Amino acid sequence: MAGSACCGGELAAMRSVDPGFVAEEAAALGVALGRVLELLGDGERALAVGHSPTNEAAVLGLTGELVAPLGKGAGVLVTADEGGFRVEVLEP
């Protein structure tokens, strides 16, 4: 399964077709996103730019939370705290 052409880019649909592939990719992207967060000091932020469905997969891999497909200009704010992560979708 290559790219997002299979399922219109919706991660949930891709996961229903090939859950193993999505799990592996989400785990790898989640580790990468986690590394970025580890480098940040208190109050610092980072901007990670990509394209759908990789952004959604990174959030899934890091937080376990499935995010709906992001529209053009939309984003996700991931905040780390003592209890884990908070995920907030940001619309343009």
Side-chain angles (χ1 to χ4, degrees), residues 14-88:
M14 291 175 72
R15 191 159 64 169
S16 71
V17 172
D18 194 341
F21 172 78
V22 173
E24 289 175 23
E25 293 299 308
L29 291 165
V31 167
L33 182 56
R35 285 188 195 133
V36 170
L37 293 177
E38 288 173 3
L39 294 172
L40 298 176
D42 286 342
E44 292 184 326
R45 292 180 175 217
L47 175 65
V49 179
H51 58 84
S52 218
T54 56
N55 291 336
E56 294 91 333
V59 171
L60 175 63
L62 179 67
T63 68
E65 188 168 329
L66 186 61
V67 176
L70 298 171
K72 188 173 185 175
V76 177
L77 176 63
V78 178
T79 306
D81 57 31
E82 296 88 32
F85 298 98
R86 284 183 293 127
V87 177
E88 178 185 351

